[in-house]
């Protein structure tokens, strides 16, 4: 089974409520991209937007932290309404294991995210503490980028390692350039959470785009 997580980065910020409502009964999760202009060269939104979405979302919120010093902010995002929080391995380094445990202690699912240029083997030491792994299939920072095909092999590698370690409950989330056209290949490689921004919110029929990914 695959979970579909529309990314609100591609929503219409002037009518965020309308866009949340459009996918509220179709999505499984809402993906919220928090960017600080330092870890990535873009700034998106923070606590107030997460709290506001939490008020109307019928599905759990998945907060993807693209920020330096993520350990400073996980409590506040949990309070704002996150049910899933991921941070980047490139930002937390060897403190990743400890941070995953801290996120879990808040009653939140903990994820470790990794950019396309970082060897996936680098995060293997932290899989034991993770609820999910977020494999970026574009470089973190902007929506609407083209899917990097080599991501499929990276997903398969993580999937194989999870199987080897018998960590069958750890989910693999994929983020960047995901849509109906590559959903089948992503599932076959081992992905179980698909984040999709442009392919949902820029589609003429967002509900149909979600359905197409689910049924791919
Ligand atoms: C990129 C973000 C993504 C982004 C995906 O840094 O992490 O979640 O919203 O957007 P699309 O689906 O348009 O590539
Ligand atoms: Zn994201």
């Amino acid at each position: 089974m695959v979970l579909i997580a529309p990314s609100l980065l591609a929503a219409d910020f002037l009518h965020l409520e309308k866009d949340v409502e459009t996918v509220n009964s179709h999505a499984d999760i809402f993906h919220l991209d928090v960017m600080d202009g330092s870890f990535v060269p873009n700034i998106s939104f923070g606590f107030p937007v997460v709290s506001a979405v939490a008020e109307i979302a019928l599905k759990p919120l998945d907060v993807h932290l693209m920020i330096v010093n993520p350990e400073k902010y996980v409590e506040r995002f949990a309070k704002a309404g996150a049910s899933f929080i991921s941070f980047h391995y490139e930002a937390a380094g060897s403190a990743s294991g400890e941070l995953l445990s801290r996120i879990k202690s808040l009653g939140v699912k903990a994820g470790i995210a990794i950019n396309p240029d970082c060897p996936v083997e680098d995060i293997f030491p932290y899989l034991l503490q993770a609820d999910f792994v977020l494999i970026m299939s574009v470089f973190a920072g902007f929506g609407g980028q083209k899917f990097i095909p080599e991501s499929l092999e990276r997903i398969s590698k993580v999937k194989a390692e999870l199987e080897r370690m018998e960590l069958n409950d750890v989910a693999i989330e994929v983020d960047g350039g995901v849509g109906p056209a590559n959903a089948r290949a992503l599932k076959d490689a081992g992905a179980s959470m698909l984040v999709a921004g442009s392919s949902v919110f820029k589609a003429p029929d967002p509900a149909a785009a979600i359905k197409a990914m689910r049924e791919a």
Side-chain angles (χ1 to χ4, degrees):
M1 209 212 25
V2 73
L3 300 175
I4 310 296
S7 170
L8 291 176
L9 193 64
D12 175 358
F13 287 0
L14 263 184
H15 304 98
L16 197 49
E17 180 170 13
K18 179 180 118 324
D19 276 5
V20 170
E21 295 302 354
T22 299
V23 296
N24 226 348
S25 59
H26 306 281
D28 299 298
I29 297 171
F30 282 100
H31 184 85
L32 293 101
D33 292 298
V34 175
M35 306 180 186
D36 66 354
S38 185
F39 180 72
V40 288
N42 195 10
I43 299 179
S44 55
F45 51 75
F47 309 115
V49 171
V50 175
S51 304
V53 172
E55 283 181 36
I56 56 165
L58 299 173
K59 308 294 164 63
L61 306 191
D62 169 31
V63 173
H64 174 193
L65 298 178
M66 286 162 272
I67 63 174
V68 297
N69 303 127
E71 72 287 349
K72 287 191 185 168
Y73 303 102
V74 291
E75 274 84 6
R76 289 183 66 190
F77 280 109
K79 269 211 187 90
S83 297
F84 298 73
I85 295 177
S86 63
F87 60 87
H88 273 260
Y89 165 68
E90 300 89 345
S94 61
S96 293
E98 197 187 316
L99 186 52
L100 287 165
S101 302
R102 238 180 75 204
I103 293 170
K104 287 203 281 195
S105 75
L106 300 168
V108 172
K109 299 246 185 246
I112 182 163
I114 182 165
N115 259 322
D117 59 349
C118 185
V120 282
E121 292 78 8
D122 287 8
I123 60 168
F124 287 179
Y126 308 104
L127 295 178
L128 201 57
Q129 281 117 305
D131 291 310
F132 66 104
V133 174
L134 200 186
I135 301 186
M136 291 304 299
S137 39
V138 300
F139 282 89
F142 299 90
Q145 302 180 74
K146 212 174 150 298
F147 178 80
I148 299 173
E150 288 76 21
S151 309
L152 290 170
E153 202 187 319
R154 291 163 61 78
I155 296 164
S156 303
K157 273 191 193 169
V158 173
K159 180 73 181 168
E161 181 63 10
L162 290 172
E163 278 171 4
R164 194 192 66 79
M165 295 177 75
E166 295 180 13
L167 295 174
N168 301 315
D169 293 337
V170 178
I172 299 180
E173 179 175 44
V174 186
D175 184 6
V178 174
N182 54 18
R184 178 76 256 164
L186 291 165
K187 289 185 215 177
D188 287 347
S192 53
M193 293 164 76
L194 302 182
V195 176
S198 314
S199 69
V200 170
F201 290 109
K202 310 289 187 217
D205 183 348
I210 292 172
K211 188 165 180 269
M213 280 185 270
R214 204 187 294 291
E215 293 174 358

